[in-house]
Amino acid sequence: MVHRIAFVALALWLVTIAGLGWVFVKGNTRASTDGRTAIVLAAADRDFVLAEMRQMLQAVRGVTTALAAGDGAAAAEAARAAGGAATHHVPPTLMAALPAEFKHLGLGMHRGFDDLAAAAEPVPAQLQRLSALLSLCVSCHQAYRLEPAR
């Protein structure tokens, strides 16, 4: 009898772990009407993602403005604002709702801003790095859309 209870407990534990793993990979998604994957988010989580996207866009503006003026230090400072430090306050509910590929793209963006901030390169090389970052933005926006939870 004890073995059976232990087996059932282990089986339930494994099912729970598998379920959580599936949620971590898939997130809270559904097909959207425009062919992209819709990520379904609670209002607070959606607001958080949109604010983070605006922060990245402000960083891009700051980097390009600084590079146009030839000010590498100001470009690094602008890039640093959207780097990895910006990921420390992500709500757990949001992390559970986002699909793995979206998380991967987002972390790549933050790492890219950190790399841009750390690179002491001439303006053309920094612009190439920024262009690569913007390619991540484009690929994410082509693949995903945010939808409110119903």
Side-chain angles (χ1 to χ4, degrees):
M1 183 65 166
V2 172
H3 291 358
R4 180 174 287 187
I5 292 172
F7 177 75
V8 169
L10 179 62
L12 288 173
W13 181 78
L14 290 173
V15 167
T16 301
I17 295 300
L20 290 174
W22 175 253
V23 168
F24 182 82
V25 171
K26 186 178 181 305
N28 189 10
T29 62
R30 64 176 172 234
S32 72
T33 57
D34 64 3
R36 296 182 289 169
T37 298
I39 302 171
V40 182
L41 297 175
D45 289 338
R46 187 172 182 271
D47 290 346
F48 186 93
V49 173
L50 293 173
E52 190 171 69
M53 287 178 184
R54 286 189 301 274
Q55 178 188 27
M56 288 181 189
L57 191 55
Q58 289 170 347
V60 168
R61 183 195 59 194
V63 169
T64 56
T65 300
L67 291 178
D71 188 346
E77 183 178 335
R80 200 170 294 110
T87 65
H88 298 305
H89 304 291
V90 178
T93 55
L94 176 58
M95 289 305 291
L98 297 175
E101 181 59 25
F102 187 94
K103 290 179 237 192
H104 177 73
L105 287 168
L107 290 174
M109 285 292 299
H110 290 294
R111 274 193 303 274
F113 277 111
D114 282 336
D115 291 346
L116 183 60
E121 299 173 319
V123 170
Q126 289 178 315
L127 286 172
Q128 286 176 338
R129 281 183 186 271
L130 186 59
S131 178
L133 277 173
L134 290 173
S135 294
L136 289 176
C137 291
V138 170
S139 65
C140 189
H141 283 271
Q142 286 176 333
Y144 297 102
R145 65 183 283 156
L146 301 179
E147 291 186 0
R150 297 178 198 185

